Structure formats: structure tokens, C-alpha cells
Amino acid sequence: SGIFRQKVPGIKGSNDRPEMNFGMPHLDDGTVKQILQSAAAAQQRDILFLEVRNNLLRDERLQALRRFRLPHFKKVAKVLVGQPNDDYLQHLHEELLKEKQEKVFAEFQQKRQEHAELKLLE
């Protein structure tokens, strides 16, 4: 994006809610965030709210969910802590291997097609 945070000594944030020190008033005061959240509530897209503290507090979570009252929104909350089980890891590795194989196969097909086109030109 080309926007960098200014390093200001003494200001501390957390990984959940870092301080916004961009030097741009609309980014720093949260105006842009509010506009994006309002726009997100009007679109039919998947949305993740990754603010751990607010998602664990009932009142904060209910306040965030009020924006998404339309019937096309499905509200799902999951809290995952710790190491995943072996079945999940096996499934994940299989999916990653499948994606990698598909990518390699596509590259192979493209190279094969380029090679065939070069032979036709000769």
C-alpha cells in the first residue's frame, strides 16, 4: 500500500489492536475502518473479524454482529487454541500436496505446449 507506520517512542499497542501511527488523520482516528466495516455489511462476502479481545467479550461481539443482521449472513464463531489434531494435519498436508501437484502439472502442460509450438515453427 505504500503507507508505513511512524515509529513513535512511548506509544504501545498490542498485536490484537496495534496503534495507528500513519500520520494521516482518517487512518489514525479509525474513520477509514468504520467506513470499510459499513461497506462490508452491505456486501455479500465472507468477512473475518480478527480482534481477539472484542470477539471474546459478549457485549463487543453483539455490537459487531448488529451490523450484519441481513438474512444472507451466516454467523460462525470459532476459537482454536493449541496444536491441531493429527487428522486435521494429515488433511491439510494432503490438500497442500494436491495444490502443489496441480500447479506443477499446469506448468508442465504449458511448457509442453510451448515446446510443441516451437517444433511447429521449425
Side-chain angles (χ1 to χ4, degrees), residues 1-43:
S1 70
I3 300 174
F4 299 99
R5 284 196 188 119
Q6 298 173 357
K7 293 183 180 181
V8 179
I11 295 180
K12 294 182 180 180
S14 67
N15 287 338
D16 189 35
R17 284 195 124 168
E19 292 291 328
M20 300 294 148
N21 297 319
F22 294 107
M24 302 172 109
H26 297 299
L27 286 176
D28 293 343
D29 67 6
T31 304
V32 172
K33 180 180 177 183
Q34 290 173 351
I35 291 170
L36 289 174
Q37 287 177 343
S38 298
Q43 297 183 3

Side-chain angles (χ1 to χ4, degrees), residues 23-90:
M24 302 172 109
H26 297 299
L27 286 176
D28 293 343
D29 67 6
T31 304
V32 172
K33 180 180 177 183
Q34 290 173 351
I35 291 170
L36 289 174
Q37 287 177 343
S38 298
Q43 297 183 3
Q44 294 184 11
R45 293 178 172 238
D46 294 334
I47 299 168
L48 297 174
F49 280 96
L50 300 176
E51 292 183 358
V52 176
R53 180 186 169 275
N54 286 350
N55 285 336
L56 292 176
L57 297 174
R58 184 177 188 274
D59 294 335
E60 297 290 331
R61 185 174 58 248
L62 290 175
Q63 182 180 355
L65 287 173
R66 280 191 205 115
R67 293 187 206 119
F68 302 96
R69 286 180 276 169
L70 297 175
H72 63 267
F73 285 112
K74 177 182 175 186
K75 297 155 191 95
V76 177
K78 292 184 180 184
V79 177
L80 306 174
V81 179
Q83 287 291 104
N85 62 22
D86 292 335
D87 293 336
Y88 176 75
L89 286 176
Q90 180 67 26

